[in-house]
Amino acid sequence: NFGDTIMKNAKSIAVGAAMLCGVFTASVASAATTLESVKEKGHLQCGVTSGLPGFSQPDDKGNWTGIDVDTCRAVAAAIFGDSQAVEFTPLTAKERFTALQSGEIDMLSRNTTWTLTRDASLGLNFAGVNYYDGQGFLVNKGIGVDDATQLDGATVCIQAGTTTELNLSDYFRAKGMEYKPIVFDTSEQTVQGFASGRCDVLTSDRSQLAALRSKLSDPDSAKILPNTISKEPLGPVVRQGDDQWFNIVKWVLSVQINAEELGVTSDNVDDMLKSDNPNIQRLLGTDGDMGAKLGLPDDFGAKAIKQVGNYGEMYDRNVGPDTPLGLERGINALWTEGKIRKIKNKGL
């Protein structure tokens, strides 16, 4: 009868729902976390630029260096106790987010600007800032331009898939000026276009302009204008949905920043293990269970600092005043020096 039919259908629906729930639960339970996946592979897979001095660049033997590279190496050191347990995937600006979203890489450390759109609509999380930057302009000294307000009608070399495109449009519109964009896929192509005279100006983050200027056959023939037209906080990126991995990448970088503030370096970290300063003890894992909270050894911070260094060491080695880029710390100096470099929380 009608009542029996209803009861049978209800039971069928309930059984089907239970089976579906069981399949879903099993699927979730079997899905490996990023940390588990990285450990199983035996290395970290990190997305970087295809070659930008000071940030990520291979030498002729395939050895990668740069501040973005070191950000990855610090994570590898924290996980494996080995900063070399990382492989690098060179990516263009257009490729980088897809590579992270698809799982091709475990983290992205590729001079990438933290924006609301990227945070909210791409399924990604920015795990901190390893370089505070701003967009500027590189010009040939021969054109006689000393300020960006003199660039009306200029031809501008620019890289596709970056925040610089929108910033450039906003700046010229606000100033009532016009320009002609020449768009390239890679930073290498933009500097080649600039060097060959295809454009009057090359625009990018100021740190990148310094790196690209160093690639010119005669770096002294070009100069970076004094104007900074945007804020560009650059940092490592991970996929949303794995809070443990997000916390690991975030706190490894925070450890490096905190270490500089506390005076802990790659040279003195072994001695600092004997410190009676509770902040240093927590930083290096001689007190508390900070590592365990992340699924890491408690001395993960000591390993990262020993093998890669604190933030100041990482900065000076790759982009500082004694490198070809010659960049002063500027706003990337510690908050204790009146700048903005600090971790965004109380600390460890």
Side-chain angles (χ1 to χ4, degrees):
N1 60 33
F2 181 72
D4 290 339
T5 301
I6 292 294
M7 289 298 293
K8 287 179 182 179
N9 288 344
K11 288 180 180 179
S12 296
I13 292 171
V15 170
M19 291 176 64
L20 182 60
C21 182
V23 170
F24 177 76
T25 302
S27 175
V28 171
S30 65
T33 66
T34 307
L35 178 60
E36 290 169 340
S37 175
V38 168
K39 285 183 174 180
E40 185 176 350
K41 288 185 297 184
H43 69 271
L44 173 69
Q45 196 72 38
C46 188
V48 293
T49 68
S50 53
L52 183 66
F55 284 82
S56 53
Q57 179 170 263
D59 61 19
D60 54 5
K61 296 181 180 179
N63 299 312
W64 286 85
T65 59
I67 195 168
D68 283 338
V69 168
D70 281 350
T71 298
C72 298
R73 292 201 188 282
V75 174
I79 297 169
F80 297 106
D82 180 5
S83 64
Q84 300 302 309
V86 54
E87 295 185 5
F88 297 99
T89 302
L91 300 164
T92 67
K94 286 183 176 180
E95 298 168 336
R96 55 185 165 178
F97 298 127
T98 302
L100 183 57
Q101 292 163 335
S102 68
E104 178 185 348
I105 57 176
D106 303 310
M107 63 179 285
L108 178 69
S109 186
R110 191 202 171 282
N111 64 311
T112 299
T113 303
W114 188 349
T115 71
L116 183 150
T117 299
R118 291 170 175 176
D119 230 5
S121 63
L122 297 182
L124 307 176
N125 277 329
F126 282 77
V129 178
N130 67 354
Y131 193 91
Y132 287 101
D133 211 342
Q135 186 172 334
F137 299 95
L138 180 72
V139 300
N140 190 302
K141 291 179 180 177
I143 69 173
V145 170
D146 297 313
D147 191 273
T149 56
Q150 298 172 286
L151 294 176
D152 190 17
T155 302
V156 184
C157 285
I158 189 169
Q159 187 178 353
T162 63
T163 57
T164 54
E165 291 181 283
L166 179 59
N167 294 336
L168 181 67
S169 175
D170 289 346
Y171 179 77
F172 271 75
R173 184 170 59 251
K175 297 294 183 182
M177 302 190 303
E178 295 185 357
Y179 70 99
K180 178 183 178 182
I182 306 293
V183 182
F184 299 92
D185 286 335
T186 68
S187 60
E188 185 68 29
Q189 291 171 351
T190 61
V191 73
Q192 290 173 358
F194 177 76
S196 66
R198 290 194 61 189
C199 54
D200 305 307
V201 188
L202 192 161
T203 187
S204 187
D205 298 341
R206 296 181 68 85
S207 64
Q208 186 165 347
L209 294 179
L212 296 178
R213 180 176 175 271
S214 72
K215 289 187 171 187
L216 297 174
S217 58
D218 180 13
D220 289 336
S221 66
K223 65 180 180 181
I224 300 173
L225 297 180
N227 314 75
T228 301
I229 67 169
S230 71
K231 298 189 294 290
E232 305 293 330
L234 312 177
V237 194
V238 299
R239 288 180 293 277
Q240 289 181 5
D242 189 338
D243 288 347
Q244 179 193 39
W245 185 244
F246 172 54
N247 285 334
I248 286 172
V249 176
K250 174 175 62 177
W251 279 102
V252 170
L253 177 58
S254 294
V255 159
Q256 291 182 283
I257 297 169
N258 218 26
E260 182 182 11
E261 182 180 331
L262 293 169
V264 182
T265 70
S266 57
D267 289 333
N268 70 14
V269 64
D270 289 336
D271 292 332
M272 286 292 192
L273 290 171
K274 308 181 187 95
S275 173
D276 57 5
N277 182 326
N279 290 313
I280 293 177
Q281 291 174 345
R282 287 190 287 270
L283 180 81
L284 302 181
T286 58
D287 181 56
D289 60 350
M290 300 302 174
K293 289 179 170 67
L294 297 171
L296 299 177
D298 286 330
D299 64 347
F300 78 95
K303 291 174 180 175
I305 297 163
K306 175 72 174 178
Q307 298 185 35
V308 181
N310 66 32
Y311 179 79
E313 292 178 277
M314 188 167 71
Y315 186 101
D316 289 341
R317 177 170 61 244
N318 293 299
V319 300
D322 296 328
T323 69
L325 271 66
L327 298 174
E328 298 292 339
R329 285 290 291 270
I331 60 174
N332 285 288
L334 292 176
W335 70 275
T336 52
E337 299 174 21
K339 305 303 179 181
I340 62 176
R341 169 60 62 191
K342 62 180 177 179
I343 56 177
K344 305 293 187 192
N345 38 55
K346 187 176 184 296
L348 296 171

Short mmCIF file of all heavy atoms in Angstrom, two decimals, residues 49-98:
data_model
loop_
_atom_site.label_atom_id
_atom_site.label_comp_id
_atom_site.label_asym_id
_atom_site.label_seq_id
_atom_site.Cartn_x
_atom_site.Cartn_y
_atom_site.Cartn_z
N THR A 49 60.61 31.68 -9.56
CA THR A 49 60.70 32.32 -10.88
C THR A 49 61.62 31.49 -11.78
O THR A 49 62.38 30.64 -11.31
CB THR A 49 61.29 33.74 -10.81
OG1 THR A 49 62.66 33.66 -10.44
CG2 THR A 49 60.53 34.60 -9.83
N SER A 50 61.57 31.79 -13.05
CA SER A 50 62.45 31.11 -14.00
C SER A 50 63.86 31.68 -13.96
O SER A 50 64.76 31.18 -14.64
CB SER A 50 61.88 31.21 -15.42
OG SER A 50 61.61 32.56 -15.75
N GLY A 51 64.07 32.71 -13.16
CA GLY A 51 65.40 33.27 -13.00
C GLY A 51 65.39 34.76 -12.74
O GLY A 51 65.31 35.56 -13.67
N LEU A 52 65.45 35.16 -11.46
CA LEU A 52 65.48 36.56 -11.07
C LEU A 52 66.56 36.75 -10.01
O LEU A 52 66.43 36.25 -8.89
CB LEU A 52 64.13 37.00 -10.52
CG LEU A 52 63.99 38.48 -10.14
CD1 LEU A 52 64.09 39.35 -11.39
CD2 LEU A 52 62.67 38.73 -9.43
N PRO A 53 67.66 37.44 -10.34
CA PRO A 53 68.76 37.59 -9.40
C PRO A 53 68.29 38.11 -8.04
O PRO A 53 67.46 39.02 -7.96
CB PRO A 53 69.67 38.62 -10.09
CG PRO A 53 69.40 38.43 -11.55
CD PRO A 53 67.94 38.12 -11.63
N GLY A 54 68.79 37.50 -6.98
CA GLY A 54 68.47 37.91 -5.63
C GLY A 54 67.24 37.24 -5.07
O GLY A 54 67.06 37.16 -3.85
N PHE A 55 66.37 36.72 -5.93
CA PHE A 55 65.12 36.10 -5.48
C PHE A 55 65.08 34.60 -5.77
O PHE A 55 64.89 33.80 -4.87
CB PHE A 55 63.92 36.83 -6.08
CG PHE A 55 63.67 38.15 -5.42
CD1 PHE A 55 64.39 39.27 -5.78
CD2 PHE A 55 62.74 38.26 -4.40
CE1 PHE A 55 64.20 40.49 -5.14
CE2 PHE A 55 62.53 39.47 -3.75
CZ PHE A 55 63.27 40.59 -4.12
N SER A 56 65.26 34.22 -7.00
CA SER A 56 65.40 32.79 -7.32
C SER A 56 66.06 32.67 -8.68
O SER A 56 65.50 33.09 -9.69
CB SER A 56 64.04 32.09 -7.30
OG SER A 56 63.10 32.73 -8.11
N GLN A 57 67.25 32.07 -8.66
CA GLN A 57 68.02 31.95 -9.90
C GLN A 57 68.98 30.77 -9.79
O GLN A 57 69.69 30.64 -8.80
CB GLN A 57 68.79 33.23 -10.17
CG GLN A 57 69.64 33.18 -11.44
CD GLN A 57 70.21 34.52 -11.82
OE1 GLN A 57 69.67 35.24 -12.65
NE2 GLN A 57 71.31 34.89 -11.18
N PRO A 58 69.03 29.92 -10.83
CA PRO A 58 69.99 28.82 -10.82
C PRO A 58 71.33 29.25 -11.42
O PRO A 58 71.36 30.12 -12.30
CB PRO A 58 69.31 27.77 -11.69
CG PRO A 58 68.53 28.59 -12.69
CD PRO A 58 68.11 29.85 -11.97
N ASP A 59 72.42 28.65 -10.92
CA ASP A 59 73.70 28.90 -11.56
C ASP A 59 73.90 27.90 -12.69
O ASP A 59 72.99 27.11 -13.02
CB ASP A 59 74.85 28.85 -10.55
CG ASP A 59 74.98 27.49 -9.88
OD1 ASP A 59 74.46 26.48 -10.42
OD2 ASP A 59 75.62 27.42 -8.81
N ASP A 60 75.09 27.89 -13.30
CA ASP A 60 75.30 27.01 -14.46
C ASP A 60 75.33 25.54 -14.08
O ASP A 60 75.30 24.66 -14.95
CB ASP A 60 76.59 27.40 -15.20
CG ASP A 60 77.81 27.43 -14.28
OD1 ASP A 60 77.68 27.07 -13.09
OD2 ASP A 60 78.88 27.83 -14.75
N LYS A 61 75.37 25.24 -12.78
CA LYS A 61 75.32 23.85 -12.31
C LYS A 61 73.94 23.47 -11.78
O LYS A 61 73.76 22.37 -11.25
CB LYS A 61 76.38 23.63 -11.23
CG LYS A 61 77.81 23.80 -11.72
CD LYS A 61 78.80 23.55 -10.60
CE LYS A 61 80.23 23.72 -11.11
NZ LYS A 61 81.23 23.50 -10.02
N GLY A 62 72.98 24.40 -11.90
CA GLY A 62 71.63 24.11 -11.45
C GLY A 62 71.38 24.35 -9.98
O GLY A 62 70.34 23.94 -9.44
N ASN A 63 72.32 25.00 -9.29
CA ASN A 63 72.15 25.32 -7.87
C ASN A 63 71.37 26.62 -7.74
O ASN A 63 71.79 27.65 -8.25
CB ASN A 63 73.51 25.45 -7.19
CG ASN A 63 74.32 24.18 -7.25
OD1 ASN A 63 73.81 23.09 -6.96
ND2 ASN A 63 75.59 24.29 -7.65
N TRP A 64 70.24 26.57 -7.02
CA TRP A 64 69.36 27.72 -6.89
C TRP A 64 69.74 28.57 -5.69
O TRP A 64 70.07 28.06 -4.62
CB TRP A 64 67.92 27.26 -6.73
CG TRP A 64 67.31 26.73 -7.99
CD1 TRP A 64 67.41 25.46 -8.48
CD2 TRP A 64 66.51 27.46 -8.93
NE1 TRP A 64 66.71 25.35 -9.66
CE2 TRP A 64 66.15 26.56 -9.95
CE3 TRP A 64 66.05 28.77 -8.99
CZ2 TRP A 64 65.35 26.94 -11.03
CZ3 TRP A 64 65.26 29.16 -10.05
CH2 TRP A 64 64.92 28.25 -11.07
N THR A 65 69.70 29.89 -5.88
CA THR A 65 69.93 30.83 -4.79
C THR A 65 68.90 31.95 -4.86
O THR A 65 68.25 32.16 -5.89
CB THR A 65 71.34 31.46 -4.87
OG1 THR A 65 71.49 32.14 -6.13
CG2 THR A 65 72.42 30.40 -4.73
N GLY A 66 68.74 32.69 -3.75
CA GLY A 66 67.82 33.83 -3.71
C GLY A 66 67.00 33.82 -2.44
O GLY A 66 66.91 32.80 -1.74
N ILE A 67 66.40 34.94 -2.12
CA ILE A 67 65.63 35.06 -0.89
C ILE A 67 64.37 34.19 -0.93
O ILE A 67 63.96 33.61 0.09
CB ILE A 67 65.29 36.55 -0.60
CG1 ILE A 67 64.82 36.72 0.84
CG2 ILE A 67 64.28 37.09 -1.60
CD1 ILE A 67 64.74 38.19 1.27
N ASP A 68 63.76 34.05 -2.11
CA ASP A 68 62.61 33.15 -2.24
C ASP A 68 63.04 31.69 -2.13
O ASP A 68 62.33 30.86 -1.55
CB ASP A 68 61.89 33.38 -3.57
CG ASP A 68 61.04 34.64 -3.57
OD1 ASP A 68 60.66 35.10 -2.49
OD2 ASP A 68 60.75 35.16 -4.67
N VAL A 69 64.19 31.39 -2.68
CA VAL A 69 64.75 30.03 -2.57
C VAL A 69 65.04 29.70 -1.11
O VAL A 69 64.71 28.61 -0.62
CB VAL A 69 66.03 29.92 -3.42
CG1 VAL A 69 66.81 28.65 -3.10
CG2 VAL A 69 65.69 29.96 -4.91
N ASP A 70 65.64 30.65 -0.39
CA ASP A 70 65.96 30.41 1.02
C ASP A 70 64.71 30.25 1.88
O ASP A 70 64.72 29.53 2.88
CB ASP A 70 66.81 31.56 1.56
CG ASP A 70 68.28 31.43 1.17
OD1 ASP A 70 68.65 30.36 0.64
OD2 ASP A 70 69.05 32.38 1.39
N THR A 71 63.62 30.93 1.49
CA THR A 71 62.35 30.75 2.20
C THR A 71 61.90 29.29 2.10
O THR A 71 61.42 28.71 3.08
CB THR A 71 61.28 31.69 1.61
OG1 THR A 71 61.69 33.05 1.81
CG2 THR A 71 59.93 31.48 2.27
N CYS A 72 62.08 28.70 0.94
CA CYS A 72 61.75 27.28 0.76
C CYS A 72 62.73 26.39 1.51
O CYS A 72 62.33 25.39 2.14
CB CYS A 72 61.76 26.92 -0.72
SG CYS A 72 60.55 27.80 -1.72
N ARG A 73 64.01 26.72 1.44
CA ARG A 73 65.02 25.89 2.11
C ARG A 73 64.81 25.87 3.62
O ARG A 73 65.05 24.85 4.28
CB ARG A 73 66.42 26.40 1.78
CG ARG A 73 66.83 26.20 0.32
CD ARG A 73 68.35 26.24 0.15
NE ARG A 73 68.75 26.23 -1.24
CZ ARG A 73 68.78 25.14 -2.01
NH1 ARG A 73 68.40 23.98 -1.49
NH2 ARG A 73 69.16 25.20 -3.28
N ALA A 74 64.36 26.98 4.18
CA ALA A 74 64.09 27.02 5.62
C ALA A 74 62.97 26.07 5.99
O ALA A 74 63.03 25.39 7.03
CB ALA A 74 63.76 28.45 6.05
N VAL A 75 61.93 25.98 5.15
CA VAL A 75 60.83 25.05 5.41
C VAL A 75 61.33 23.61 5.31
O VAL A 75 60.99 22.76 6.15
CB VAL A 75 59.67 25.29 4.42
CG1 VAL A 75 58.59 24.22 4.58
CG2 VAL A 75 59.07 26.69 4.63
N ALA A 76 62.17 23.34 4.33
CA ALA A 76 62.73 21.99 4.19
C ALA A 76 63.58 21.63 5.40
O ALA A 76 63.52 20.49 5.90
CB ALA A 76 63.56 21.90 2.91
N ALA A 77 64.37 22.58 5.88
CA ALA A 77 65.21 22.34 7.07
C ALA A 77 64.34 22.04 8.29
O ALA A 77 64.67 21.18 9.10
CB ALA A 77 66.11 23.53 7.32
N ALA A 78 63.24 22.77 8.42
CA ALA A 78 62.34 22.58 9.56
C ALA A 78 61.70 21.19 9.53
O ALA A 78 61.49 20.57 10.58
CB ALA A 78 61.26 23.66 9.56
N ILE A 79 61.39 20.70 8.35
CA ILE A 79 60.71 19.40 8.21
C ILE A 79 61.69 18.24 8.28
O ILE A 79 61.51 17.28 9.02
CB ILE A 79 59.93 19.34 6.90
CG1 ILE A 79 58.81 20.39 6.88
CG2 ILE A 79 59.33 17.94 6.68
CD1 ILE A 79 58.17 20.56 5.52
N PHE A 80 62.75 18.31 7.46
CA PHE A 80 63.66 17.19 7.29
C PHE A 80 64.99 17.34 8.04
O PHE A 80 65.76 16.38 8.09
CB PHE A 80 63.98 17.01 5.80
CG PHE A 80 62.80 16.66 4.94
CD1 PHE A 80 62.24 17.60 4.09
CD2 PHE A 80 62.24 15.39 4.98
CE1 PHE A 80 61.16 17.28 3.28
CE2 PHE A 80 61.16 15.06 4.19
CZ PHE A 80 60.61 16.00 3.33
N GLY A 81 65.26 18.55 8.57
CA GLY A 81 66.59 18.79 9.11
C GLY A 81 67.62 18.91 8.01
O GLY A 81 68.82 18.77 8.24
N ASP A 82 67.16 19.20 6.79
CA ASP A 82 68.04 19.26 5.62
C ASP A 82 67.51 20.32 4.66
O ASP A 82 66.49 20.12 3.99
CB ASP A 82 68.09 17.90 4.94
CG ASP A 82 69.00 17.89 3.71
OD1 ASP A 82 69.67 18.90 3.44
OD2 ASP A 82 69.01 16.85 3.02
N SER A 83 68.20 21.45 4.58
CA SER A 83 67.74 22.55 3.73
C SER A 83 67.87 22.22 2.24
O SER A 83 67.32 22.95 1.40
CB SER A 83 68.54 23.82 4.04
OG SER A 83 69.92 23.63 3.72
N GLN A 84 68.57 21.14 1.91
CA GLN A 84 68.72 20.75 0.51
C GLN A 84 67.62 19.81 0.05
O GLN A 84 67.56 19.44 -1.13
CB GLN A 84 70.09 20.07 0.31
CG GLN A 84 71.27 20.95 0.66
CD GLN A 84 71.30 22.25 -0.13
OE1 GLN A 84 71.20 22.24 -1.36
NE2 GLN A 84 71.44 23.37 0.56
N ALA A 85 66.73 19.41 0.97
CA ALA A 85 65.64 18.48 0.62
C ALA A 85 64.49 19.23 -0.02
O ALA A 85 63.35 19.21 0.44
CB ALA A 85 65.18 17.73 1.86
N VAL A 86 64.80 19.92 -1.10
CA VAL A 86 63.80 20.71 -1.82
C VAL A 86 64.14 20.71 -3.29
O VAL A 86 65.32 20.76 -3.68
CB VAL A 86 63.74 22.16 -1.27
CG1 VAL A 86 65.10 22.82 -1.28
CG2 VAL A 86 62.74 23.01 -2.04
N GLU A 87 63.13 20.60 -4.12
CA GLU A 87 63.29 20.72 -5.57
C GLU A 87 62.50 21.92 -6.05
O GLU A 87 61.44 22.23 -5.50
CB GLU A 87 62.82 19.44 -6.28
CG GLU A 87 63.68 18.23 -5.93
CD GLU A 87 63.30 16.99 -6.71
OE1 GLU A 87 62.40 17.10 -7.60
OE2 GLU A 87 63.86 15.92 -6.44
N PHE A 88 63.03 22.59 -7.07
CA PHE A 88 62.45 23.85 -7.52
C PHE A 88 61.80 23.71 -8.89
O PHE A 88 62.36 23.09 -9.80
CB PHE A 88 63.52 24.94 -7.53
CG PHE A 88 64.08 25.22 -6.17
CD1 PHE A 88 65.29 24.67 -5.78
CD2 PHE A 88 63.37 25.99 -5.26
CE1 PHE A 88 65.80 24.91 -4.52
CE2 PHE A 88 63.87 26.23 -3.99
CZ PHE A 88 65.09 25.69 -3.61
N THR A 89 60.62 24.30 -9.01
CA THR A 89 59.89 24.31 -10.27
C THR A 89 59.83 25.75 -10.78
O THR A 89 59.13 26.59 -10.19
CB THR A 89 58.45 23.78 -10.08
OG1 THR A 89 58.50 22.45 -9.57
CG2 THR A 89 57.71 23.79 -11.41
N PRO A 90 60.56 26.09 -11.85
CA PRO A 90 60.49 27.46 -12.38
C PRO A 90 59.17 27.71 -13.07
O PRO A 90 58.70 26.88 -13.86
CB PRO A 90 61.66 27.51 -13.38
CG PRO A 90 61.92 26.08 -13.74
CD PRO A 90 61.54 25.25 -12.55
N LEU A 91 58.53 28.84 -12.75
CA LEU A 91 57.20 29.16 -13.25
C LEU A 91 57.12 30.60 -13.73
O LEU A 91 57.74 31.49 -13.13
CB LEU A 91 56.16 28.94 -12.15
CG LEU A 91 56.04 27.54 -11.55
CD1 LEU A 91 55.27 27.58 -10.24
CD2 LEU A 91 55.37 26.61 -12.54
N THR A 92 56.34 30.84 -14.77
CA THR A 92 56.05 32.21 -15.19
C THR A 92 54.95 32.76 -14.28
O THR A 92 54.30 32.02 -13.53
CB THR A 92 55.57 32.28 -16.65
OG1 THR A 92 54.29 31.63 -16.74
CG2 THR A 92 56.56 31.59 -17.58
N ALA A 93 54.71 34.06 -14.38
CA ALA A 93 53.65 34.68 -13.58
C ALA A 93 52.29 34.08 -13.91
O ALA A 93 51.44 33.91 -13.04
CB ALA A 93 53.64 36.19 -13.80
N LYS A 94 52.09 33.72 -15.17
CA LYS A 94 50.81 33.14 -15.58
C LYS A 94 50.63 31.73 -15.05
O LYS A 94 49.51 31.30 -14.76
CB LYS A 94 50.70 33.11 -17.11
CG LYS A 94 50.46 34.46 -17.76
CD LYS A 94 50.30 34.30 -19.27
CE LYS A 94 49.96 35.61 -19.95
NZ LYS A 94 49.81 35.45 -21.42
N GLU A 95 51.72 30.98 -14.90
CA GLU A 95 51.66 29.57 -14.51
C GLU A 95 51.58 29.35 -13.01
O GLU A 95 51.10 28.30 -12.56
CB GLU A 95 52.90 28.83 -15.04
CG GLU A 95 53.05 28.80 -16.53
CD GLU A 95 54.42 28.32 -16.98
OE1 GLU A 95 55.39 28.45 -16.17
OE2 GLU A 95 54.54 27.84 -18.11
N ARG A 96 52.06 30.32 -12.23
CA ARG A 96 52.34 30.06 -10.83
C ARG A 96 51.14 29.60 -10.00
O ARG A 96 51.26 28.65 -9.21
CB ARG A 96 52.97 31.30 -10.19
CG ARG A 96 52.14 32.57 -10.35
CD ARG A 96 52.87 33.78 -9.80
NE ARG A 96 52.23 35.02 -10.26
CZ ARG A 96 52.64 36.22 -9.89
NH1 ARG A 96 53.64 36.36 -9.05
NH2 ARG A 96 52.03 37.29 -10.36
N PHE A 97 50.00 30.25 -10.14
CA PHE A 97 48.85 29.92 -9.29
C PHE A 97 48.24 28.57 -9.69
O PHE A 97 47.82 27.80 -8.83
CB PHE A 97 47.81 31.03 -9.33
CG PHE A 97 48.32 32.34 -8.80
CD1 PHE A 97 48.20 33.50 -9.56
CD2 PHE A 97 48.92 32.42 -7.56
CE1 PHE A 97 48.68 34.71 -9.08
CE2 PHE A 97 49.41 33.62 -7.08
CZ PHE A 97 49.29 34.77 -7.84
N THR A 98 48.19 28.30 -10.99
CA THR A 98 47.67 27.02 -11.45
C THR A 98 48.52 25.86 -10.93
O THR A 98 47.99 24.82 -10.52
CB THR A 98 47.62 26.97 -12.99
OG1 THR A 98 46.81 28.05 -13.46
CG2 THR A 98 47.04 25.66 -13.48
#
